[in-house]
Amino acid sequence: MPLMNSADKIKHWDDMYLMPLDNIPWEIPQPPKELVELIDSRKTTGGRALDIACGTGNYSFYLAQHGFEVIGVDFSERAIDIANKHNEATKLPVHFLVGDITNIKQLLSDTDFDFILDYSILHHLEPSVTKDYARQCASLLKKGGKLLLVCYSDKDEFANGNKSATGKYGNTMYYRTAHEIREAYSDLIEISYKETRLGKRLQHFAHCFLFEKV
Ligand SMILES: C[S@@+](CC[C@H](N)C(=O)[O-])C[C@H]1O[C@@H](n2cnc3c(N)ncnc32)[C@H](O)[C@@H]1O
């Protein structure tokens, strides 16, 4: 399967957001337990948060309800439209941007985030961009800032032992080992790691890392 170019990728995701939200496989309004546990633990307690590849902004809103001023970024204009419409009603301190997260530093005029949420996105990025993407994320955190990363694991049954696989909707997913992720995010300190599950039916075996900038 040839790699999609950037325009095809955006179209792919935009087309997915034409589906009723209930039918979108990753559209889960309730925040993931890893995020709830982190907020409840008070290891991160507010300030400026960045929700990377925020989709329709479900977790941006959750963060805004828990003391953060949030920027959510996604390259699907349709997803961001849905997020903005939702925000008109809530009036929470959330600002959404359309843009490609592989160039996230160029998109943002401010750095110094207290928290970055990187939920269910890394497995959609090609391995060739991993290190640069991770470095950009690390550089956006202030000292003491945390990054929560949850992505598909190489142990996911769907990977079937392969490094990549084509999903039901035609996009490619990439299955990284915990070691590969540690190497890519080596600008940050690893606070914790656990294996978890991701998806509407918790059907995907996943990595969950909490990193900190020191
Ligand atoms: C599986 S969804 C996860 C959305 C959200 N984080 C959540 O968990 O609900 C992946 C999201 O990444 C976005 N995306 C994929 N590649 C991207 C890129 N290079 N730049 C910006 N957004 C991207 C898609 O548009 C989609 O909204």
Side-chain angles (χ1 to χ4, degrees), residues 13 17 26-27 51-55 58-59 73-76 79 99-102 119-121 123-125:
W13 288 102
Y17 284 107
W26 62 88
E27 176 65 29
D51 184 2
I52 297 193
C54 61
N58 291 317
Y59 313 143
V73 180
D74 201 286
F75 68 8
S76 165
D100 190 327
I101 55 159
T102 58
Y119 191 82
S120 193
I121 175 60
H123 47 263
H124 296 299
L125 302 184

Side-chain angles (χ1 to χ4, degrees), residues 7 9 21 37 40-41 57 67 95-96 105 121 124 136 142 147 165 188 201:
K9 279 184 201 162
L21 291 185
E37 279 168 16
D40 288 353
S41 74
H95 181 67
F96 293 108
K105 271 211 91 160
I121 175 60
H124 296 299
Q136 290 185 61
K142 64 160 73 155
L147 184 149
L188 301 173
R201 288 172 286 111

Side-chain angles (χ1 to χ4, degrees), residues 44-191:
T44 180
T45 54
R48 300 185 64 238
L50 176 63
D51 184 2
I52 297 193
C54 61
T56 61
N58 291 317
Y59 313 143
S60 305
F61 295 122
Y62 173 77
L63 286 167
Q65 285 158 347
H66 288 82
F68 292 89
E69 269 178 54
V70 187
I71 296 185
V73 180
D74 201 286
F75 68 8
S76 165
E77 277 190 34
R78 253 184 215 124
I80 296 296
D81 276 352
I82 297 168
N84 276 326
K85 287 207 179 87
H86 184 172
N87 204 23
E88 276 166 26
T90 59
K91 302 264 188 270
L92 287 164
V94 187
H95 181 67
F96 293 108
L97 295 174
V98 176
D100 190 327
I101 55 159
T102 58
N103 284 317
I104 188 96
K105 271 211 91 160
Q106 280 176 26
L107 285 175
L108 301 168
S109 46
D110 301 326
T111 55
D112 284 350
F113 285 91
D114 298 276
F115 179 57
I116 296 181
L117 177 63
D118 192 317
Y119 191 82
S120 193
I121 175 60
L122 190 62
H123 47 263
H124 296 299
L125 302 184
E126 285 145 27
S128 59
V129 306
T130 317
K131 184 73 198 176
D132 178 61
Y133 166 72
R135 281 221 161 110
Q136 290 185 61
C137 292
S139 73
L140 290 168
L141 280 175
K142 64 160 73 155
K143 277 193 182 164
K146 311 273 193 305
L147 184 149
L148 180 67
L149 167 66
V150 182
C151 67
Y152 294 172
S153 153
D154 55 311
K155 294 184 191 161
D156 186 12
E157 291 85 348
F158 195 76
N160 203 16
N162 296 309
K163 295 297 279 176
S164 66
T166 303
K168 185 174 162 194
Y169 298 95
N171 61 319
T172 308
M173 288 157 303
Y174 302 94
Y175 300 92
R176 290 163 172 88
T177 63
H179 177 70
E180 286 165 337
I181 294 176
R182 285 189 174 106
E183 274 192 346
Y185 287 79
S186 59
D187 291 352
L188 301 173
I189 295 291
E190 182 178 326
I191 303 289

